[in-house]
């Protein structure tokens, strides 16, 4: 799957390699990106959008985007499956939370150690990828989920019970309401998106793609597969750790049950629905799935009240059927993910009126 | 010694159930290279269908089994026809994702018709105990063990010696090749999902006998995944042996170490084993070329 | 075709995103109607108990609306609007739900405790919206804004049980010299909390206590039971939710174990009977903090239980009664009593979370809950609730009491 668009914008000629690799190629794109960035950060001030409920959803989307970007680097670019991502989110979250309450470190000092701890543990669980391939690798990451959760449950009393974590502060400014936290979340989301987008233009990024497309060929070309696979694992889990740190400081509460296998599977789903190997796709995927899930939460209880003849809990059951059905239909009609469609739309716009 | 014997027996019995569920994963992987995440929910739904005949309508045991198994086959076929058929030839990961969504739908269907509240357990085997020296085995788990072995043998025979089984193995190798050899990929896939539905349902009925029929049954599907992996995703005998191995490790570790260390320990052992045998014990080793 | 389908999907999603903030403005607060919120996991691993709990408080409050025309105090009358939000056992979802319900004007909320709802602690303290809970998690024990009607924290289940058995054992003249007890636990996440720092408690009580764990999906618990038997345990406490308990019962039956087993409060005896059938569960003991629905009808019922049975018949005709329903009704009763007391002091327009706490919930003294549990009083630093437990045993598919109401231990898991 191409991760750049099929056609360059009309009238743009790349006369050097440097120009060809630019992310933002035209003036219109510059204007659009700056306007959308301003809009993103202005949302809490716009009357129609600034309800805490919507802001909370957006914060959730932002944090999930960070998690899924990491996953997309590993799965989408490097081709290694990971169905234990939320365990690494947990490692980051607990590291950050423990540093915060035991050593009194503020969030800004915790977030990098959280990411690094998570990356180190991620690298350990990445070691089997030397030998394991494809679906078989899913087993080790599934194992990571189960083993890490078990350690947190039985060997660290504090994490088993859950503990409260301080909010993020800068000087006297406390980010404890959705409206304030929104800026922190969006800052990190934009930064991490920027890093992920640029990563693919570096040497390691190209090595990842080579490994995904054919690892034997990549090895023959002199790429140290083991090193780059581990690097991909570390980047993936670093993203997870940073997101975990954000998550616990956002919830001001750290507990094991916020990081389940179900979540891990949903992260994979988001990446696949969005489109493997596409940064925009990841963002679309997260938004799409979050909106779909939100539908259950909002409509479920309403429906249940209207249908008293069904057994208790049937209302949510009905909604699950509908949501699952919509998602399956979506995949049947859009099996290559939202990013593919996005590229088609872009191509259509660029070629218009000469598209055929 | 008495304790050790008991623990080994318990582990083997547990393992047999894992093996039976893992066979479901293997069947689907063998024909379509898809890891079916909805296996646990197929098991759940199959169990609930059986409950409706036996517990709901109070039919005779054999009659309800006789009615349930075709229903289960039909369930598998329907799932394949509606959700997976349109995706033939599409990226593999999309097909795997569809099975995740499918698990949502199946859970929804189960709670829509049977509610979220657990239903009473129904034992299909006579209750009793068998004494082997100082170790006591429940007849129920003995039957479960036997059933897993029988299903395994039938499947091995089926894949090795029948025409249909051979073409199923072929389909797993590549859809285009089989298509060009005049074998209908669609028909093969349909039958495979049907059989997987039956295998899942058998597991559901067995588990319902001891755990009761409740939404948590689907969890067993996840516990059985490692069994399928360790045995090799392509081999029914591997699935059963993998199930037994995992059951044994789990039982011994949680018996002697406590602290629920069984499941994590089995994963650690598995990861180490897989480092030396990356395709499991009986899986097909892929020879890769550039 | 594909493009059409795609644009349809896009339109639906865009519609949802646009409609969400709108829907908040639709729910304008009518006069003299107060909003009670519920955030429970209606789907997910605990859906069975949570839906029942939610249904209980909802049915009771709507019953007040219908039969009594709402809740009346000296300064006015209000009707209840009951809104629920499915947290799907996810902490961030619970927080979203809280924000949404708050925008809809919620003044008090209720839930059936689980770890994901503990995460709401900061939110309700910040928003000054009291919580009336069907079972106390860990965090809500620490909060001044949480009011319980259930057990005094998960860590007291085994402790109260030990105190009960020790008392009986001392009455019988201390047979055997030392009391030996055991627990068989699953590896569910709440179990380590329920056995929190048991060693020091056991030492304090001067007894012996053994712990064995079974993995969640296992179908055979006999090795662990055998170890407990060999250790000489007089009674065994089952720290598990209903499916695990049924596995334990099956294994105990197969190995002819004649040690009495007691279910912990994480599952009700009614759940275990529903799952395992009356035959298997005969003689199984359990604890309740209220009078359960599965009480033998021949034994008579308190007015509260009679009402609960009526409401169940009306709202869930033909379905099997569930014990957690009573738990929900208790939450409903406390909310209603709090609102009634608060309305003596403030007018319905001024009734908010803070007023409800100050004039209502904080002033509840010796509230009898129609006999469903021991009278409830809330004093500063003690919002636990009835703090009494009663042990029951299964006879022919129903439960009957085998002990009087006993005070529970009041151990609290330290905050840090």
């Amino acid at each position: 799957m191409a991760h750049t668009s099929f056609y360059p914008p009309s009238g743009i000629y790349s006369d050097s390699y440097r120009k060809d690799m630019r992310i933002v190629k035209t003036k219109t794109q510059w204007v659009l990106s700056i306007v959308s960035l301003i809009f993103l950060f202005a949302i809490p001030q716009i009357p129609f959008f600034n309800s805490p409920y919507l802001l909370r959803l957006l914060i959730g989307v932002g944090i999930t985007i960070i998690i899924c970007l990491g996953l997309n680097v590993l799965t989408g670019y490097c081709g290694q499956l990971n169905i234990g991502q939320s365990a690494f989110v947990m490692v980051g979250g607990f590291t950050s939370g423990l540093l915060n309450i035991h050593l009194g470190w503020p969030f800004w000092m915790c977030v990098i150690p959280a990411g690094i701890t998570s990356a180190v543990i991620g690298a350990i669980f990445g070691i089997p990828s030397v030998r394991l391939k494809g679906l078989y690798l899913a087993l080790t990451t599934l194992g990571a989920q189960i083993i890490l959760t078990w350690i947190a449950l039985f060997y660290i009393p504090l994490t088993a019970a859950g503990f409260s974590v301080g909010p993020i502060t800068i000087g006297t400014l406390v980010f404890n309401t959705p409206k304030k936290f929104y800026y922190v979340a969006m800052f990190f989301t934009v930064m991490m998106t920027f890093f992920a987008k640029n990563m693919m233009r570096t040497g390691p990024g190209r090595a990842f793609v080579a490994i995904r497309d054919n690892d034997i060929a990549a090895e023959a070309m002199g790429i140290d597969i083991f090193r780059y696979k581990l690097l991909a694992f570390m980047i993936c889990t670093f993203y997870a750790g940073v997101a975990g740190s954000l998550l616990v400081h956002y919830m001001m509460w750290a507990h094991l049950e916020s990081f389940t296998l179900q979540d891990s599977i949903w992260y994979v789903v988001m990446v696949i629905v969005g489109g493997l190997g596409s940064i925009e796709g990841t963002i679309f995927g997260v938004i799409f799935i979050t909106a779909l899930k939100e539908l259950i939460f909002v409509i479920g209880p309403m429906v249940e009240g209207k249908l008293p003849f069904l057994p208790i809990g049937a209302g949510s059951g009905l909604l699950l059927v509908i949501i699952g059905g919509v998602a399956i239909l979506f995949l049947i009609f859009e099996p290559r993910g939202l990013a593919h469609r996005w590229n088609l739309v872009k191509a259509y716009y660029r070629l218009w009126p000469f598209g055929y | 010694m008495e304790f050790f014997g008991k623990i080994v027996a318990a582990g083997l019995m547990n393992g047999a159930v894992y093996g039976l569920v893992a066979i479901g994963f293997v069947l689907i992987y063998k024909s379509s290279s898809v890891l079916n995440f909805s296996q646990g929910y197929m098991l759940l739904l199959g169990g609930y269908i059986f409950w409706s005949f036996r517990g709901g309508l109070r039919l005779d045991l054999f009659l309800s089994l006789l009615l349930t198994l075709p229903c289960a086959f039909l369930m598998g076929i329907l799932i394949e026809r509606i959700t997976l058929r349109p995706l033939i030839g599409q990226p593999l990961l999309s097909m795997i994702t569809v099975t995740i969504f499918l698990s949502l739908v199946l859970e929804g269907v189960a709670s829509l018709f049977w509610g979220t509240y657990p239903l009473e357990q129904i034992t299909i085997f006579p209750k009793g105990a068998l004494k082997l020296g100082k170790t006591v085995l429940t007849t129920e788990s003995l039957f479960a063990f036997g059933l897993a072995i029988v299903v395994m043998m039938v499947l091995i025979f089926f894949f090795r010696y029948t025409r249909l089984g051979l073409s199923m193995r072929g389909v797993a190798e590549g859809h285009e090749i089989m298509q060009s050899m005049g074998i209908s990929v669609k028909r093969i896939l349909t039958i495979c999902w049907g059989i997987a539905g039956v295998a899942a349902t058998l597991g559901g009925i067995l588990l319902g006998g001891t755990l009761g029929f409740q939404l948590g049954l689907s969890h067993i599907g996840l516990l059985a995944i490692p069994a399928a992996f360790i045995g090799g995703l392509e081999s029914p005998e591997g699935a059963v042996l993998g199930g037994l191995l995992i059951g044994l490790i789990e039982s011994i570790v949680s018996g002697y170490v406590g602290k629920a260390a069984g499941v994590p320990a089995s994963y650690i052992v598995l990861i180490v084993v897989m480092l030396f045998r990356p395709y499991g014990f009986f899986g097909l080793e892929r020879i890769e070329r550039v | 075709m594909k493009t059409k389908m795609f644009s349809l999907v896009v339109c639906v999603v865009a519609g949802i995103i646009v409609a969400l903030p709108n829907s908040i403005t639709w729910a304008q607060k009518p006069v003299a109607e107060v909003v009670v919120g519920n955030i429970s996991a209606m789907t997910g691993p605990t859906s069975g108990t949570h839906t029942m709990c939610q249904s209980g408080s909802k049915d009771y409050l709507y019953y007040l609306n219908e039969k009594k025309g709402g809740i009346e105090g000296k300064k006015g009358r209000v009707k209840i609007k009951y809104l629920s939000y499915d947290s799907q056992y996810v902490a961030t979802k619970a927080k979203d739900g809280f924000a949404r319900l708050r925008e809809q004007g919620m003044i008090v909320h209720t839930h059936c405790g689980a770890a994901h709802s503990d995460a709401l602690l900061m939110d309700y303290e910040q928003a000054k919206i009291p919580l009336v809970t069907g079972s106390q998690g860990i965090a809500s024990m620490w909060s001044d804004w949480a009011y319980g009607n259930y057990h005094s924290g998960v860590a007291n289940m085994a402790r109260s049980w030990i105190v009960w058995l020790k008392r009986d054992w001392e009455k019988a003249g201390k047979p055997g010299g030392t009391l030996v007890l055991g627990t068989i636990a699953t590896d569910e996440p709440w179990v380590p909390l329920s056995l929190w720092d048991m060693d020091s408690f056991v030492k304090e009580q001067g007894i012996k206590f053994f712990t064995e764990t079974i993995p969640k999906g296992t179908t055979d618990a006999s090795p662990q039971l055998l170890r407990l038997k060999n250790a000489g345990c007089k009674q065994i406490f089952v720290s598990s939710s209903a499916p695990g308990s049924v596995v334990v019962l099956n294994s105990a039956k197969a190995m002819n174990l004649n040690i009495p087993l007691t279910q912990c409060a994480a599952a009700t005896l009614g759940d275990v009977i529903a799952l395992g059938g009356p035959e298997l569960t005969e003689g199984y003991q359990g604890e309740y903090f209220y009078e359960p629905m599965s009480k033998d009808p021949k034994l008579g019922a308190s007015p509260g239980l009679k009402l609960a049975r009526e409401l169940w018949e009306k709202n869930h005709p033909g379905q099997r009664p569930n014990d957690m329903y009573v738990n929900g009704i208790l939450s409903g009763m406390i909310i209603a009593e709090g609102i009634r007391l608060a309305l003596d002091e403030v007018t319905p327009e001024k009734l908010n979370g803070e007023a409800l706490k100050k004039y209502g919930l904080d002033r509840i003294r010796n509230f009898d809950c129609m006999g469903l549990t021991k009278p409830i009083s809330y004093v500063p630093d003690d919002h636990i609730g009835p703090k009494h437990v009663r042990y029951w045993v299964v006879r022919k598919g129903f439960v009957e009491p085998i002990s009087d109401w006993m005070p529970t231990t009041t151990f609290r898991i330290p905050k840090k």
Side-chain angles (χ1 to χ4, degrees):
Chain A
M1 254 169 279
H3 62 278
T4 48
S5 49
F6 301 1
Y7 308 99
S10 170
I12 299 297
Y13 308 104
S14 309
D15 43 22
S16 73
Y17 188 64
R18 227 182 127 72
K19 270 190 184 168
D20 195 40
M21 287 304 285
R22 272 186 200 157
I23 293 175
V24 183
K25 288 192 176 116
T26 62
K27 281 199 183 109
T28 327
Q29 285 180 341
W30 269 113
V31 172
L32 277 178
S33 0
I34 291 171
V35 166
S36 47
L37 267 184
I38 292 175
F39 176 72
L40 194 63
F41 280 95
I43 281 179
Q45 308 305 331
I46 304 172
F48 183 69
F49 287 104
N50 64 357
S51 84
Y53 172 65
L54 190 69
L55 287 181
R56 275 184 177 285
L57 275 187
L58 288 177
I59 293 169
V61 166
I63 295 176
T64 317
I65 283 176
I66 298 179
I67 299 171
C68 290
L69 280 177
L71 200 56
N72 208 347
V73 170
L74 183 65
T75 309
Y77 287 115
C78 197
Q80 313 295 308
L81 210 54
N82 176 1
I83 52 174
Q85 180 78 336
S86 85
F88 300 109
V89 179
M90 177 182 80
V91 171
F94 281 161
T95 311
S96 178
L98 290 174
L99 286 177
N100 179 274
I101 63 162
H102 274 308
L103 303 180
W105 292 12
F107 165 77
W108 304 99
M109 278 169 73
C110 299
V111 60
I112 299 298
I116 290 172
T117 319
S118 191
V120 168
I121 293 181
I124 295 172
F125 282 99
I127 292 173
S129 68
V130 204
R131 302 264 300 162
L132 301 187
K133 277 178 192 164
L135 278 177
Y136 284 95
L137 191 61
L139 180 77
T140 55
T141 44
L142 186 66
Q145 175 89 40
I146 283 163
I147 294 167
L148 293 174
T149 317
W150 173 74
I151 292 173
L153 184 60
F154 283 94
Y155 289 97
I156 313 173
L158 208 57
T159 55
F163 53 95
S164 37
V165 181
I168 298 174
T169 51
I170 302 180
T172 51
L173 195 60
V174 184
F175 294 89
N176 57 356
T177 60
K179 212 167 176 171
K180 290 179 193 157
F181 191 88
Y182 178 83
Y183 292 104
V184 181
M186 284 308 139
F187 170 72
F188 274 93
T189 310
V190 171
M191 289 288 290
M192 296 305 251
T193 313
F194 181 74
F195 285 144
K197 186 87 193 166
N198 272 298
M199 199 182 300
M200 289 312 117
R201 311 196 299 162
T202 61
R206 285 189 290 271
F208 292 163
V209 176
I211 292 174
R212 174 194 69 189
D213 289 346
N214 193 322
D215 52 352
I216 294 172
E219 197 168 20
M221 285 166 68
I223 294 171
D224 185 348
I225 294 191
F226 183 46
R227 204 175 109 212
Y228 281 110
K229 275 185 180 172
L230 276 197
L231 185 66
F233 261 97
M234 285 177 78
I235 292 170
C236 166
T237 47
F238 180 81
Y239 269 75
V242 169
S245 174
L246 270 175
L247 196 67
V248 295
H249 286 274
Y250 161 55
M251 296 206 293
M252 291 186 265
W253 174 256
H255 191 277
L256 210 59
E257 292 194 8
S258 314
F259 314 100
T260 58
L261 181 59
Q262 286 303 333
D263 291 332
S264 291
I265 292 176
W266 275 113
Y267 296 144
V268 178
V269 167
M270 286 169 181
V271 169
I272 294 173
V273 165
L276 281 170
S278 157
I279 303 296
E280 302 93 334
T282 309
I283 298 171
F284 295 146
V286 172
I287 294 174
F288 179 76
I289 296 287
T290 311
L292 212 58
K293 282 171 95 178
E294 202 51 28
L295 216 61
I296 307 184
F297 302 127
V298 177
I299 302 179
M302 296 184 200
V303 175
E304 196 155 60
K306 301 276 184 302
L307 305 167
F309 55 88
L310 291 172
I312 295 177
S316 357
L318 188 66
L319 257 292
L320 278 183
V321 174
I322 295 171
I323 300 289
V326 168
I328 290 176
L329 272 182
F330 173 82
L331 266 185
I332 288 173
F333 288 104
E334 206 63 53
R336 286 169 191 279
L338 283 161
H340 181 69
R341 179 61 53 179
W342 171 247
N343 282 334
L344 289 183
V345 169
K346 265 207 300 203
Y348 179 80
Y349 159 76
R350 281 176 183 163
L351 296 178
W352 192 84
F354 302 113
Y356 53 89
Chain B
M1 199 57 215
E2 184 193 0
F3 181 63
F4 184 75
K6 185 77 221 179
I7 262 186
V8 167
L12 287 178
M13 299 302 141
N14 252 338
V17 179
Y18 288 158
L20 197 60
V21 180
I23 282 179
F25 284 105
V26 168
L27 265 173
I28 293 191
Y29 186 82
K30 243 177 126 63
S31 64
S32 47
S33 307
V34 167
L35 185 64
N36 178 18
F37 276 95
S38 64
Q39 190 72 21
Y41 290 91
M42 284 166 72
L43 179 153
L44 175 80
L45 207 60
Y48 272 13
I49 293 173
F50 172 72
W51 187 91
S52 298
F53 288 126
R54 181 78 180 116
L57 299 175
R58 305 258 161 219
L59 294 180
D60 181 61
L61 175 66
F62 286 100
L63 185 63
S64 34
L65 272 177
L66 215 64
L67 286 170
T68 308
L69 295 183
C71 280
F73 194 77
L74 209 66
M75 171 179 78
I77 288 179
L78 270 180
I79 289 173
E80 194 276 337
R81 188 71 193 81
I82 297 171
T83 61
L84 280 118
R85 172 91 46 105
L87 283 173
I88 291 179
Q90 295 295 354
L92 207 61
L93 276 172
S94 297
M95 284 172 109
I96 295 176
T97 316
V98 157
T99 65
I100 298 176
F101 289 140
L102 194 61
S103 63
L104 286 188
V105 175
L106 294 182
E107 187 190 350
V109 169
S111 51
L112 187 60
F113 290 107
W114 289 276
T116 47
Y117 198 67
L119 309 166
E120 192 177 323
Q121 61 166 334
I122 300 166
T123 40
I124 49 169
F125 301 122
K127 289 234 175 201
L130 190 75
K131 279 205 170 159
L132 274 176
K134 281 190 168 181
T135 313
V136 186
L137 296 175
T138 56
T139 42
E140 219 168 354
S141 42
L142 273 179
F143 275 112
F145 192 80
L147 187 64
I149 303 293
V150 168
V151 170
M152 177 188 85
M153 298 301 262
V154 168
L155 283 179
I156 293 173
F157 178 81
F158 178 70
F159 278 118
R160 288 257 161 86
Y161 302 108
T162 66
R163 207 180 163 72
L164 192 61
L166 281 172
S167 37
M168 278 183 185
R169 283 166 67 186
V171 165
E173 288 301 310
H175 290 179
E176 286 96 351
I177 307 168
M178 279 296 120
Q179 203 81 289
S180 60
M181 288 180 71
I183 288 166
S184 165
V185 174
K186 291 174 183 170
R187 197 173 65 98
I188 300 289
L189 278 184
T190 310
I191 295 173
C192 246
W193 273 82
I195 299 177
V198 173
T201 303
L202 282 178
I205 295 171
L206 266 182
L207 282 169
T210 43
L211 295 170
F213 293 93
Q214 29 112 5
L215 292 177
L217 280 189
S218 54
H219 185 75
I220 309 293
L222 282 178
L223 288 181
I225 287 183
F229 274 108
I230 186 84
L233 275 172
E234 284 101 350
S235 118
E237 63 267 41
V240 172
L241 286 180
L244 292 178
L245 185 68
I246 288 193
L248 217 55
I249 298 172
E250 245 184 63
S251 182
I252 290 176
V253 174
S254 49
Y256 282 103
V257 182
K259 288 205 168 177
V263 179
S266 64
Y267 269 96
I268 293 172
V269 170
L270 284 190
I271 291 174
V272 173
V273 169
M274 298 290 276
L275 276 179
F276 294 98
R277 291 198 68 98
Y279 294 97
F281 284 123
F282 296 90
L284 279 180
E285 194 154 343
R286 303 252 163 226
I287 296 160
E288 287 176 80
R289 290 192 191 86
V290 174
Chain C
M1 174 62 197
K2 275 191 179 178
T3 326
K4 258 188 193 167
M5 197 58 214
F6 175 75
S7 38
L8 198 75
V9 173
V10 168
C11 284
V12 170
V13 174
I16 298 157
I17 293 169
V18 172
L20 282 178
N22 271 345
S23 62
I24 293 153
T25 44
W26 298 336
Q28 284 202 340
K29 204 173 146 187
V31 189
E33 193 171 64
V34 296
V35 177
V36 175
N38 182 312
I39 304 153
S40 312
M42 255 76 89
T43 47
T46 53
S47 54
T49 48
H50 282 202
T51 42
M52 294 297 166
C53 207
Q54 179 246 11
S55 171
S57 49
K58 181 177 167 186
D59 291 349
Y60 178 76
L61 291 170
Y62 278 152
Y63 154 83
L64 289 185
N65 273 358
E66 268 173 39
K67 285 279 154 62
K68 311 259 161 92
I71 302 168
E72 196 168 11
K74 281 177 194 147
K75 294 214 170 154
R77 174 206 292 267
V78 295
K79 279 204 165 191
I80 302 288
K81 187 174 176 190
Y82 193 97
L83 299 173
S84 18
Y85 191 91
D86 178 7
S87 69
Q88 219 192 21
Y89 213 73
V90 177
T92 43
K93 277 278 150 268
K95 286 193 166 244
D96 293 349
F98 188 88
R100 188 178 167 78
L101 288 171
R102 208 181 142 193
E103 278 169 21
Q104 290 172 312
M106 162 176 74
I107 66 156
V108 55
H109 75 298
T110 170
H111 64 52
C112 195
H116 73 280
S117 36
D118 276 348
L120 289 175
L121 177 72
M122 312 293 160
D123 297 66
Y124 58 79
E125 285 193 339
Q126 218 172 57
K128 298 194 183 326
I129 290 174
L131 162 74
V132 175
T133 171
S135 78
Q136 296 200 318
I138 308 144
S140 49
M141 298 271 299
W142 302 330
S143 175
D144 198 33
W145 287 87
Y147 296 84
N149 63 53
Y150 197 38
H151 62 64
S152 40
V154 65
N156 287 302
M157 298 188 298
R159 282 179 166 79
S160 303
W161 174 76
I162 288 174
V163 170
W164 171 54
L165 289 180
K166 200 187 161 201
R167 202 193 58 179
D168 283 0
W169 170 73
E170 278 169 352
K171 261 187 202 162
K174 302 192 178 183
T178 7
L179 183 60
V180 186
L181 299 172
T183 181
I184 185 160
T186 54
D187 57 348
E188 286 157 286
W190 51 268
V191 171
L193 308 179
S194 74
L195 301 174
W196 189 279
D197 202 16
M198 274 309 269
D199 296 344
S200 54
F201 179 76
V202 164
K203 212 177 264 173
E204 200 181 287
Q205 294 286 324
I207 63 161
K208 272 191 179 169
F209 190 72
F210 294 93
T211 308
E212 290 290 334
T213 324
I214 52 171
K216 207 179 192 170
T218 188
T219 50
D220 190 353
S222 42
Q224 283 82 358
L225 285 174
L226 187 71
R227 263 169 95 107
L228 289 175
K229 188 183 167 194
N230 290 347
C233 294
K234 292 277 168 302
Q235 293 228 18
I236 294 172
F237 194 63
V238 184
S239 298
S240 164
S241 48
S245 308
V246 172
V247 171
V248 172
L249 283 174
N250 271 321
S251 310
K253 195 171 182 189
M255 61 191 279
N256 272 328
L257 189 81
N258 44 13
I259 302 173
L261 300 166
T262 308
Q263 170 65 39
C264 83
T268 61
L269 280 181
D271 288 349
V272 183
I273 298 170
L275 207 52
E279 203 183 313
L280 184 72
T281 44
E282 181 75 18
Y284 193 43
Q285 301 168 3
E287 53 179 337
Y288 282 106
F289 296 79
Y290 49 82
E291 212 177 335
M293 295 285 272
S294 40
K295 185 179 180 184
D296 196 337
K298 279 176 276 178
L299 291 177
S302 65
L305 187 59
K306 273 184 195 143
L307 176 67
R309 283 183 174 149
E310 259 170 48
L311 288 178
W312 180 270
E313 212 35 62
K314 186 178 153 224
N315 292 294
H316 310 288
Q319 292 185 46
R320 190 193 173 95
N322 187 287
D323 294 337
M324 288 302 277
Y325 192 67
V326 179
N327 190 333
I329 287 183
L330 272 174
S331 294
M333 281 179 171
I334 292 165
I335 292 172
E337 176 71 3
I339 292 176
R340 190 184 68 79
L341 286 171
L343 284 177
D344 284 350
E345 299 293 329
V346 294
T347 52
E349 291 74 37
K350 286 197 176 154
L351 185 66
N352 57 15
E354 236 176 323
L356 179 64
K357 174 179 164 61
K358 192 172 166 198
Y359 301 113
L361 295 167
D362 274 349
R363 296 201 306 163
I364 290 182
R365 295 282 179 280
N366 278 325
F367 176 54
D368 72 343
C369 304
M370 297 172 85
L372 278 179
T373 180
K374 283 299 233 189
I376 293 175
S377 302
Y378 292 127
V379 293
D381 282 340
D382 183 0
H383 291 175
I384 290 175
K387 281 185 293 191
H388 278 75
V389 66
R390 202 172 185 186
Y391 292 90
W392 303 67
V393 67
V394 180
R395 297 267 177 257
K396 296 197 182 87
F398 291 105
V399 298
E400 47 189 62
I402 46 167
S403 83
D404 282 334
W405 286 105
M406 319 217 331
T408 58
T409 54
T410 50
F411 173 81
R412 290 194 196 188
I413 292 175
K415 194 166 178 179
K416 267 186 187 166

